[in-house]
Amino acid sequence: MEGKPTIALVYQAVQALYHDPDPAGKERASVWLGELQRSMYAWEISDQLLQLKQDVESCYFAAQTMKMKIQTSFFELPSETHIALRDSLLSHIQNLKDLSPIIVTQLALAIADLALQMASWKGCVHTLIEKYNNDVSSMTFLIEILTVLPEEVHSRSLRIGANRRTEIIEDLAYYSGTVVTLLASCVEKTGDNEKMLIKVFRCLGSWFNLGVLDSNFMANNQLLMVLFQVLQRDETPTNLHEAASDCVCSALYAIENVDTNMALALQLFQGVLTLETAYHMAVAREDLDKVLNYCRIFTELCETFLEITVRSPGQGMGDLRTLELLLICAGHPQYEVVEISFNFWYRLGEHLYKTNDPALHGIFRPYIQRLLHGLARHCQLDSDHEGIPEDTDDFGEFRMRVSDLVKDVIFLVGSMECFSQLYSTLKEGNPPWEVTEAVLFIMAAIAKSVDPENNPTLTEVLEQVVMLPETVHIAVRYTSIELVGEMSEVVDRNPRFLDPVLNYLMKGLREKPLASVAAKAIHNICAVCRDHMAQHFQGLLDIARALDSFALSTDAAVGLLKGTALVLARLPLEKIAECLSDLCAVQVMALKKLLAQDPSNGKASDPTVWLDRLAVIFRHTNPIVENGQTHPCQKVIQEIWPVLSETLNKHQADNRIVERCCRCLRFAVRCVGKGSASLLQPLVTQMVSVYQVYPHSCFLYLGSILVDEYGMEEGCRQGLLDMLQALCMPTFQLLEQPNGLRNHPDTVDDLFRLATRFVQRSPVTLLSSSIIVHIIQCAIAATTLDHRDANCSVMKFVRDLIHTGVSNDHEEDFEVRKQLIGQAMEQHGQQLVTQLMHTCCFCLPPYTLPDVAEVLWEIMVFNRPTFCRWLENALKGLPKETSGGAVTVTHKQLTDFHKQVTSAEECKQVCWAIREFTRLFR
């Protein structure tokens, strides 16, 4: 930003942001204000705007800017200005407390973030309470600051480090009693004031969440009684009810370790059990918001006491009335209520599965049976529902979650027993269609877990389902087709059913609403009954040829082709080539037609549908070919290559289409392996020439496939190295642009996949080339990239590269590899270690640390003494203090970490050490 703008100009921009009727004007104002927020002038300007107090918008912008600057740019301020900033913020929040609650919240966040970073502000809670405690009008903002302060301790936007965080948490724990006493006195003074109670409960919940409240002190505290009184009262307003519920849930979460919080655990346990009557009252009044709140509380209660319940069911706090509460909620007609408890039932199932104690399973079985009964009822469609069940709406997603849950807990009831019971409800009664459909839906969820060996019930079900008349409700037919697809194992064991099953599914395939689900079921049958289906290949081929005459979704069409390819691979070798050619013919003809089309006639010429279909055919046609035999698919792929090549050329500027072309070629190469040798030269030539103009990262990925297939072939190595060098030049140009790495993570990912394949297949070729220096430099720069796939690829490349210096020491090229890696490490080792330490302390999220640890481990295995020196130098370069004056890392912590890493005997010890150490900088 050029020079400091005037207050009038800033005010004008804020007005434009909120009130300019022209969206372009709003956008310009937004960009300009964003620049202002990033500049040094933002501190002074927001302070002035808050003093002027012109209107809500300008004050909100200023308060938000203050918070943002303290969170992200606190280092810009010299330490002697910190006290003045604190005093100014406290004065602003007092002056603006009645202007707008959102401004108070932003300023409270700014004050909290300042307190957490400003090491010289000791005992901030104590000073704030002393300063404002006796002024009733300041109570709203004081409680707001005390609410956000504990929430900000673990904020991702503040990198205060583990040492400072520990110091703060100890400080907050020390003053937590004072805060609770302040909140209790607030409640006493204001009585039933709804707004104040909401603030108090939010604040209390925030301190519970941080886990610093003394549980014995809280067990006998007046606030706990007030909480439950509010929740027991029928006339409690909705917002207050929600705040009280949130607070109880936070308290229950805070005492997860029940044994060390006995007194508070008992109070909460007994308190929640008193809410059953209030729940029934809310149901009677049809107050869904309150019903959902109670169900959240009951679920949190069960989650907290889960281990005790499993350890000592029915005794003390293992009282099974907790499960009764959840089953009462499962009986509520709205499915959103029971859905809240799903996570608990998953966890209970997991615990019981691990303990594997039949007597214990027997205690919980009746509860799971009742749950399943309730879930089957919730899965029923409305009796006036028309058409098939929807998968994508909220209710469809709920049914999918039910299906997953049923699969996870069915072992407690017994799959076979449950399946038989469900079937008998259909066989013996004559239930309405919506009950039948829901029962079939649950049966489909558990069909795969029923043992298909010699099982008369399963065969009877299959027999009955395929005889369902076409007159039944279409939703019943839809779900019955799903069930048949899930019973493909039964068909495989009883091939006499194959014909009636296929006939049944073919009927569905011809009806628009049922076509996609029938295609999916046929795909399942093909995948499981591959050998039995070989005799039906002609029928599958006929379907594949007429694919677009059925009303199929894209996925269902591709699934059908996948099933067909799986069966094709089981045909005799001499038949495969001809049948594959037939199967591909439709797609190839369509591509040729698109190529012949005049691009100016405006018709859609998107070839992706056909490319995806070819890709799935190549991917799943994997016949068993003995050594020396020609691969049956080789000829077909050679015939199709010119069409793919021409399609790639025509659409070379379109990343999406090029990506699909490369994917198709990838599976074609994988399908025939070395049999694609004749394509290597023309394919590489085309890839390189298009990449110079349009650097699509998928070419790098395809290159890695070629290196994987041909990198071990002596005659191909130089050609593949030339390909790598030709692809690297435009890639480096792209990545060296400003923010190049961050803007092109796919390119980074695919480049290092390609380089890694080279390291794995032909390390000496790569290490002896001139390009390796540039690739290593690029890798060191890219270690900072916070992108899961790209970072993983970079780390894998560096790890595998160094590993080649120690691996396979019996091979004849070992000494050459060792020497080449030695030279590379001499040149880049210190820079790499320094960058990795900086990266894992300041750039990367914790989940990437195991990858960093593996790289450091490999460097150490290669040359421990030199690594010790490099690590020491890297640690000397790390900052020892935060900009707020807090100690980030002590000398002892540095030496301990160095010792832990350099004396590690396995990689996971390095990983643990890094995980602990980097917390000091987060």
Side-chain angles (χ1 to χ4, degrees):
M1 181 161 267
E2 301 285 316
K4 181 182 161 190
T6 62
I7 284 289
L9 187 60
V10 177
Y11 185 70
Q12 197 182 332
V14 172
Q15 288 305 304
L17 179 69
Y18 286 102
H19 304 295
D20 192 329
D22 175 20
K26 274 186 192 299
E27 182 57 32
R28 277 196 302 278
S30 173
V31 171
W32 188 83
L33 289 169
E35 263 180 58
L36 170 63
Q37 285 183 317
R38 287 187 291 278
S39 74
M40 276 293 288
Y41 308 119
W43 295 101
E44 195 184 335
I45 283 172
S46 18
D47 191 50
Q48 287 174 329
L49 284 172
L50 290 166
Q51 254 164 355
L52 288 169
K53 198 178 168 179
Q54 242 171 321
D55 57 20
V56 171
E57 284 102 341
S58 60
C59 288
Y60 176 70
F61 169 75
Q64 191 198 29
T65 303
M66 250 330 167
K67 177 202 74 177
M68 207 178 91
K69 293 297 282 183
I70 290 171
Q71 277 183 351
T72 58
S73 313
F74 189 54
F75 59 87
E76 292 177 350
L77 294 181
S79 55
E80 58 271 18
T81 60
H82 293 173
I83 292 174
L85 174 64
R86 177 193 68 189
D87 295 345
S88 145
L89 285 171
L90 290 172
S91 139
H92 289 321
I93 201 168
Q94 190 152 24
N95 294 336
L96 299 165
K97 62 179 183 282
D98 301 323
L99 187 59
S100 158
I102 55 171
I103 293 171
V104 171
T105 300
Q106 292 297 313
L107 287 171
L109 283 164
I111 292 162
D113 291 340
L114 176 65
L116 296 176
Q117 295 180 89
M118 185 174 156
S120 58
W121 187 0
K122 305 283 183 202
C124 63
V125 171
H126 183 65
T127 49
L128 288 167
I129 290 178
E130 274 209 332
K131 187 173 170 100
Y132 300 113
N133 187 15
N134 298 320
D135 175 15
V136 176
S137 67
S138 304
M139 209 41 81
T140 49
F141 72 77
L142 172 61
I143 291 181
E144 189 64 31
I145 298 172
L146 293 175
T147 302
V148 297
L149 185 63
E151 289 171 352
E152 289 296 286
V153 170
H154 292 291
S155 162
R156 293 252 172 114
S157 12
L158 296 178
R159 298 186 76 100
I160 55 176
N163 288 334
R164 173 67 179 154
R165 202 168 275 115
T166 305
E167 185 189 335
I168 289 160
I169 290 172
E170 284 169 3
D171 195 46
L172 294 182
Y174 183 76
Y175 291 112
S176 61
T178 317
V179 173
V180 174
T181 308
L182 169 79
L183 296 176
S185 77
C186 257
V187 172
E188 258 174 54
K189 286 175 193 164
T190 56
D192 280 351
N193 178 323
E194 183 192 343
K195 281 190 175 160
M196 185 49 88
L197 276 175
I198 289 174
K199 283 188 175 303
V200 166
F201 291 159
R202 268 194 59 223
C203 185
L204 182 60
S206 171
W207 285 74
F208 266 128
N209 285 335
L210 190 62
V212 293
L213 294 180
D214 180 293
S215 64
N216 290 329
F217 173 66
M218 285 311 301
N220 306 309
N221 194 278
Q222 184 65 27
L223 281 178
L224 212 56
M225 283 169 57
V226 175
L227 259 180
F228 283 112
Q229 282 165 3
V230 164
L231 289 168
Q232 283 157 357
R233 274 208 304 269
D234 183 31
E235 61 278 8
T236 299
T238 306
N239 290 348
L240 178 56
H241 196 276
E242 185 169 3
S245 301
D246 289 344
C247 187
V248 170
C249 288
S250 297
L252 285 164
Y253 187 75
I255 57 152
E256 193 103 58
N257 190 349
V258 175
D259 299 337
T260 55
N261 296 293
M262 265 312 182
L264 180 56
L266 192 60
Q267 291 296 327
L268 289 169
F269 186 83
Q270 291 168 343
V272 175
L273 287 180
T274 64
L275 300 178
E276 187 183 336
T277 316
Y279 168 83
H280 289 302
M281 201 66 206
V283 173
R285 290 192 185 278
E286 296 186 1
D287 189 337
L288 186 59
D289 289 334
K290 285 187 181 176
V291 166
L292 292 167
N293 286 338
Y294 289 124
C295 188
R296 282 194 300 129
I297 295 172
F298 298 156
T299 303
E300 203 61 65
L301 176 78
C302 288
E303 297 249 18
T304 296
F305 292 98
L306 172 61
E307 291 194 11
I308 290 187
T309 311
V310 173
R311 202 168 58 216
S312 50
Q315 296 163 26
M317 286 187 275
D319 192 329
L320 295 173
R321 276 185 298 167
T322 54
L323 298 190
E324 289 290 348
L325 289 174
L326 284 196
L327 289 172
I328 290 170
C329 292
H332 191 278
Q334 299 280 358
Y335 69 84
E336 294 89 344
V337 180
V338 69
E339 195 168 16
I340 290 171
S341 65
F342 277 15
N343 191 52
F344 165 74
W345 295 111
Y346 275 123
R347 284 185 59 205
L348 175 65
E350 204 175 33
H351 266 67
L352 293 171
Y353 189 75
K354 281 179 189 161
T355 48
N356 196 12
D357 170 356
L360 195 60
H361 290 189
I363 294 171
F364 289 95
R365 183 171 295 120
Y367 293 92
I368 300 295
Q369 281 170 329
R370 286 164 60 195
L371 173 70
L372 292 176
H373 188 77
L375 291 176
R377 202 177 55 253
H378 278 296
C379 284
Q380 288 175 20
L381 299 161
D382 292 332
S383 56
D384 57 357
H385 177 94
E386 291 178 2
I388 60 170
E390 285 296 329
D391 282 350
T392 49
D393 61 2
D394 288 347
F395 185 54
E397 283 178 13
F398 166 75
R399 283 180 27 132
M400 290 324 294
R401 290 193 64 197
V402 168
S403 177
D404 291 341
L405 178 58
V406 170
K407 287 183 175 92
D408 278 2
V409 298
I410 194 64
F411 72 93
L412 281 163
V413 181
S415 313
M416 189 57 229
E417 191 183 327
C418 183
F419 197 84
S420 302
Q421 277 178 357
L422 289 165
Y423 178 49
S424 64
T425 59
L426 298 183
K427 197 162 81 167
E428 287 155 22
N430 185 14
W433 76 262
E434 67 275 15
V435 175
T436 303
E437 190 279 334
V439 169
L440 290 170
F441 177 77
I442 301 290
M443 286 169 78
I446 59 177
K448 275 198 176 131
S449 59
V450 182
D451 181 9
E453 210 58 65
N454 300 327
N455 196 322
T457 308
L458 286 179
T459 51
E460 191 183 330
V461 168
L462 201 51
E463 220 163 352
Q464 293 301 316
V465 167
V466 299
M467 288 179 357
L468 274 177
E470 287 178 37
T471 50
V472 297
H473 193 291
I474 195 150
V476 174
R477 291 180 60 203
Y478 180 94
T479 305
S480 70
I481 290 173
E482 276 191 317
L483 174 58
V484 170
E486 291 296 307
M487 293 177 77
S488 45
E489 295 275 355
V490 184
V491 180
D492 193 43
R493 299 286 202 302
N494 301 277
R496 67 180 189 279
F497 286 119
L498 193 55
D499 284 0
V501 162
L502 289 175
N503 289 337
Y504 183 66
L505 296 178
M506 278 308 297
K507 275 185 207 161
L509 195 63
R510 292 191 190 95
E511 285 183 54
K512 189 176 178 181
L514 303 175
S516 291
V517 73
K520 191 180 166 194
I522 293 173
H523 163 221
N524 279 355
I525 301 276
C526 288
V528 175
C529 317
R530 287 169 76 170
D531 293 322
H532 297 308
M533 282 298 292
Q535 58 181 340
H536 291 279
F537 183 74
Q538 193 54 49
L540 289 171
L541 192 56
D542 292 341
I543 295 173
R545 282 181 176 143
L547 211 47
D548 292 307
S549 65
F550 303 108
L552 295 174
S553 67
T554 312
D555 287 350
V558 166
L560 252 178
L561 288 173
K562 176 183 170 182
T564 309
L566 289 170
V567 176
L568 168 63
R570 291 295 166 93
L571 297 180
L573 276 188
E574 64 277 7
K575 284 194 174 171
I576 289 181
E578 186 193 341
C579 293
L580 178 64
S581 187
D582 286 349
L583 188 55
C584 295
V586 181
Q587 345 302 328
V588 175
M589 287 303 295
L591 287 172
K592 282 181 175 170
K593 198 171 164 189
L594 290 178
L595 288 169
Q597 219 170 267
D598 179 7
S600 60
N601 70 2
K603 274 191 190 163
S605 62
D606 184 353
T608 51
V609 170
W610 313 105
L611 291 168
D612 286 351
R613 289 180 184 181
L614 278 176
V616 82
I617 294 168
F618 294 145
R619 184 177 189 173
H620 296 284
T621 306
N622 43 16
I624 298 157
V625 182
E626 304 293 332
N627 270 346
Q629 286 180 310
T630 306
H631 198 291
C633 305
Q634 192 174 318
K635 182 168 161 285
V636 182
I637 285 169
Q638 279 167 352
E639 285 165 7
I640 293 176
W641 156 249
V643 181
L644 293 176
S645 171
E646 215 179 314
T647 304
L648 179 57
N649 253 346
K650 180 177 177 179
H651 298 280
Q652 56 182 271
D654 187 327
N655 182 52
R656 189 178 62 94
I657 295 175
V658 171
E659 211 164 72
R660 301 305 233 292
C661 274
C662 286
R663 189 167 170 272
C664 190
L665 286 162
R666 162 192 161 193
F667 289 124
V669 170
R670 286 291 195 211
C671 173
V672 292
K674 306 277 185 295
S676 60
S678 61
L679 304 185
L680 196 55
Q681 185 70 47
L683 174 55
V684 168
T685 308
Q686 185 172 4
M687 280 163 57
V688 168
S689 79
V690 175
Y691 193 79
Q692 306 297 322
V693 190
Y694 300 106
H696 303 299
S697 73
C698 51
F699 286 126
L700 299 171
Y701 187 89
L702 188 52
S704 73
I705 302 292
L706 296 175
V707 172
D708 194 34
E709 290 290 344
Y710 293 99
M712 311 278 278
E713 305 286 311
E714 195 56 55
C716 300
R717 285 176 170 171
Q718 188 55 46
L720 290 170
L721 182 66
D722 294 344
M723 172 193 78
L724 173 70
Q725 288 176 317
L727 293 173
C728 274
M729 290 311 147
T731 305
F732 292 152
Q733 282 170 2
L734 187 70
L735 299 180
E736 280 162 8
Q737 291 170 3
N739 285 331
L741 292 165
R742 196 174 328 143
N743 294 342
H744 304 283
D746 292 349
T747 301
V748 175
D749 182 11
D750 292 331
L751 171 68
F752 287 102
R753 266 176 207 268
L754 170 56
T756 303
R757 288 291 192 206
F758 238 112
V759 168
Q760 292 165 346
R761 293 285 174 257
S762 184
V764 175
T765 312
L766 179 64
L767 287 164
S768 318
S769 70
S770 56
I771 196 81
I772 186 65
V773 175
H774 304 288
I775 294 177
I776 292 173
Q777 284 294 346
C778 183
I780 292 173
T783 54
T784 57
L785 188 58
D786 177 7
H787 180 282
R788 190 183 283 262
D789 294 340
N791 196 281
C792 186
S793 278
V794 173
M795 295 297 177
K796 184 169 170 41
F797 163 71
V798 181
R799 184 191 71 206
D800 285 9
L801 183 76
I802 300 163
H803 188 65
T804 46
V806 292
S807 65
N808 301 331
D809 52 5
H810 57 281
E811 290 178 5
E812 56 189 45
D813 66 349
F814 173 66
E815 287 304 326
V816 181
R817 278 187 279 127
K818 187 176 171 184
Q819 185 196 346
L820 288 167
I821 293 294
Q823 288 167 1
M825 291 311 290
E826 224 169 278
Q827 209 176 341
H828 307 285
Q830 179 67 71
Q831 187 194 356
L832 174 61
V833 174
T834 303
Q835 178 80 317
L836 284 173
M837 284 316 303
H838 180 271
T839 289
C840 59
C841 290
F842 301 107
C843 309
L844 296 182
Y847 68 76
T848 58
L849 296 181
D851 295 342
V852 177
E854 285 186 5
V855 175
L856 293 174
W857 171 255
E858 288 297 342
I859 301 172
M860 189 159 70
V861 169
F862 185 73
N863 188 338
R864 201 174 281 251
T866 312
F867 171 74
C868 292
R869 198 173 68 247
W870 287 339
L871 182 61
E872 188 180 339
N873 293 338
L875 294 176
K876 280 178 185 164
L878 292 172
K880 314 293 183 284
E881 249 189 27
T882 65
S883 46
V887 174
T888 307
V889 57
T890 64
H891 180 69
K892 183 177 184 317
Q893 284 169 327
L894 285 170
T895 51
D896 284 353
F897 172 67
H898 187 275
K899 188 178 173 188
Q900 282 167 350
V901 172
T902 53
S903 63
E905 287 175 13
E906 49 183 343
C907 183
K908 65 179 175 195
Q909 293 170 319
V910 176
C911 187
W912 291 333
I914 291 181
R915 194 157 265 160
E916 281 307 302
F917 184 71
T918 52
R919 286 177 57 208
L920 300 170
F921 297 88
R922 287 191 199 286

